[in-house]
Amino acid sequence: MRPQKVEVVVIIDDIRIIKESYALYGVLVRVIRSNNESTNEPSYEHRVYRRFSEFWDLKNKLEKEFGTELPYELPQRQFGLWKQSSLDPDIIEDRKVTLANFLQDLLNDSFDTKWKNSPHVCKFLKLSTNWNSLEPRYSNLPSSQGNLNDPTHWLTTFRDSKHLLESCERGISSSVTRDLMQLRLVLHDLENSLKHISEQIGQAEYSRRHNLLQTLKKDMNEFALQSTSSIHEDNGDNNVNNNNNNNNNNNNERSDLRMALFEEHTKPRPPKKPALGRRRFGETEETSPLDNQQLLQLHKDSMSKQDLEMEQMHKIVQRQKNLSLTMNQELLQDNELLDSLNDGVDNTASRLRTANRRAKQFNNE
């Protein structure tokens, strides 16, 4: 096997201002593999967006993981009442350069490799766990032989599969057909294992992963179809100059790509429409033998019956109202009688007190 060298190029060339409160730095990561006999060729590349505070969180996690200070320089945070705004163009330009150099030094350090091989770095940059491997390209294919019932390993395998598909779409992979077939098997295992870990991750996370998986499968189908159509066009062009040999090779490759396609989910058949002139929805034993005119008359009769019932209900409510008014009037009269009785009792009590006082005076004399 030829000796290979892995080199990483980091470029920060995109800035997004979110709600005029903070900036997202677009980090383009390009992994390049080279050997002594061939030119440099990027294995894969992708872009992630990170806040400045997330770079410092990564630094703290790495120092906590290895128990030593990170040897790569980050821009200092600004504290105090008079700090300059983080959205200032000069601050952003300075951080773009410094942050890119920080990641460039970290990922290309061949002496102290523990930092770039940390899972925190892979998660931060969305890199596969074996991105730094020196093995040939086929060894970087995602494998479904691990424990896919582990939710963490499931996500790692899914991420590796996504990176491989992106490499195929950019024309980086040397064997598109083989990689698509491998992806088909891996994603099939991911789909089966997702059902077993649904209780561990919860319904919401299960739905999220299921949607991610279906999106990746759809992207793979579309890419395989595009590749098939492009091969078919090349076939037509080659027929003019090359007769049989090239045709056979292209046809074989096209059939291989068709095999890499996923089987589409069987779509549910729409319900059969009722025959013309027949009614199905909402039918009852009473309405099924009636024609349209009879149904209209039945509807009118039902409305008349409802109107009559409403009128009767109105009369009952009116009677209840009259009874309530009568009861209210009687209660007012009863209150007046009680007030008169109360006044009589007070007068009687006053006379009794006067009589008692006079009796006491008479006894004393």
Side-chain angles (χ1 to χ4, degrees):
M1 182 179 63
R2 299 168 183 173
Q4 288 187 338
K5 179 182 178 181
V6 178
E7 181 183 359
V8 183
V9 177
V10 179
I11 303 174
I12 299 181
D13 56 355
D14 188 19
I15 302 295
R16 295 182 181 179
I17 307 301
I18 307 300
K19 298 181 180 179
E20 298 183 357
S21 58
Y22 63 91
L24 283 178
Y25 294 84
V27 182
L28 177 64
V29 180
R30 182 180 294 119
V31 180
I32 301 175
R33 300 176 185 275
S34 62
N35 53 50
N36 296 333
E37 300 181 8
S38 63
T39 58
N40 294 349
E41 178 180 309
S43 295
Y44 59 86
E45 65 179 26
H46 67 281
R47 187 188 302 275
V48 295
Y49 287 86
R50 292 289 182 258
R51 296 180 60 175
F52 177 69
S53 59
E54 292 180 295
F55 282 87
W56 273 91
D57 291 340
L58 173 64
K59 178 179 183 296
N60 295 332
K61 290 178 180 178
L62 291 174
E63 292 178 346
K64 183 178 180 181
E65 179 182 2
F66 297 106
T68 183
E69 184 178 357
L70 192 67
Y72 314 107
E73 183 179 1
L74 265 179
Q76 294 297 322
R77 286 177 167 177
Q78 298 181 8
F79 299 97
L81 298 176
W82 304 102
K83 69 177 183 179
Q84 193 173 0
S85 173
S86 60
L87 301 182
D88 186 273
D90 295 334
I91 295 294
I92 290 178
E93 288 299 323
D94 180 69
R95 287 180 175 177
K96 282 173 57 178
V97 177
T98 311
L99 293 175
N101 292 336
F102 166 77
L103 292 176
Q104 186 86 15
D105 295 340
L106 187 149
L107 297 175
N108 290 290
D109 192 343
S110 59
F111 177 75
D112 192 359
T113 60
K114 66 176 181 292
W115 305 102
K116 63 181 178 181
N117 293 328
S118 171
H120 296 299
V121 174
C122 296
K123 183 178 180 180
F124 180 80
L125 296 175
K126 294 184 179 180
L127 294 170
S128 59
T129 55
N130 58 349
W131 71 271
N132 195 30
S133 175
L134 295 177
E135 297 297 326
R137 180 70 182 97
Y138 60 82
S139 64
N140 288 331
L141 288 172
S143 174
S144 61
Q145 299 300 321
N147 183 17
L148 291 181
N149 291 330
D150 180 11
T152 303
H153 182 73
W154 192 98
L155 278 179
T156 301
T157 306
F158 174 81
R159 190 181 301 114
D160 294 344
S161 303
K162 184 177 181 181
H163 289 162
L164 180 57
L165 179 59
E166 292 174 353
S167 300
C168 294
E169 290 174 345
R170 287 190 294 270
I172 297 174
S173 177
S174 58
S175 178
V176 175
T177 303
R178 184 187 63 213
D179 291 351
L180 289 179
M181 289 183 177
Q182 176 69 15
L183 274 178
R184 177 184 180 183
L185 297 175
V186 173
L187 294 185
H188 177 72
D189 293 339
L190 285 174
E191 187 173 18
N192 291 335
S193 61
L194 184 59
K195 300 176 182 179
H196 295 88
I197 63 175
S198 58
E199 296 182 357
Q200 303 180 38
I201 60 179
Q203 183 61 35
E205 178 65 14
Y206 171 81
S207 300
R208 186 185 74 87
R209 295 191 183 190
H210 181 267
N211 292 335
L212 290 174
L213 193 59
Q214 295 303 320
T215 302
L216 184 58
K217 291 170 63 177
K218 180 181 177 180
D219 293 341
M220 179 179 173
N221 285 338
E222 293 177 354
F223 170 69
L225 285 173
Q226 293 173 1
S227 302
T228 304
S229 60
S230 64
I231 292 175
H232 181 67
E233 293 175 358
D234 294 339
N235 244 350
D237 296 336
N238 290 335
N239 282 336
V240 178
N241 301 321
N242 304 318
N243 294 323
N244 296 326
N245 294 333
N246 291 338
N247 269 342
N248 294 333
N249 293 335
N250 288 331
N251 285 331
N252 291 335
E253 187 172 357
R254 183 175 59 189
S255 62
D256 289 341
L257 281 174
R258 290 187 182 277
M259 292 177 60
L261 291 174
F262 285 99
E263 296 180 359
E264 295 292 340
H265 292 288
T266 304
K267 296 182 179 180
R269 295 183 178 179
K272 293 183 179 180
K273 295 182 179 180
L276 187 63
R278 296 291 301 276
R279 303 183 305 270
R280 294 291 181 88
F281 182 75
E283 288 285 0
T284 63
E285 295 180 357
E286 182 183 5
T287 60
S288 56
L290 303 179
D291 57 16
N292 292 337
Q293 189 65 29
Q294 293 172 337
L295 277 176
L296 180 61
Q297 186 61 39
L298 179 63
H299 177 69
K300 291 181 178 180
D301 294 342
S302 299
M303 293 295 293
S304 301
K305 184 178 179 181
Q306 291 179 3
D307 291 340
L308 180 61
E309 292 176 351
M310 291 296 294
E311 185 178 356
Q312 293 176 353
M313 181 67 69
H314 175 72
K315 292 180 180 179
I316 293 175
V317 173
Q318 189 66 34
R319 286 198 298 269
Q320 292 290 339
K321 179 182 177 181
N322 294 334
L323 287 175
S324 299
L325 293 176
T326 303
M327 292 176 61
N328 184 45
Q329 188 66 26
E330 292 179 354
L331 288 174
L332 291 176
Q333 294 176 358
D334 292 341
N335 286 334
E336 292 178 357
L337 291 175
L338 289 174
D339 291 339
S340 177
L341 178 61
N342 189 29
D343 293 340
V345 171
D346 291 341
N347 291 332
T348 303
S350 177
R351 291 176 182 177
L352 286 175
R353 287 194 294 272
T354 303
N356 288 332
R357 186 170 60 253
R358 290 179 178 176
K360 289 179 180 179
Q361 291 177 357
F362 178 78
N363 291 332
N364 290 334
E365 293 176 354

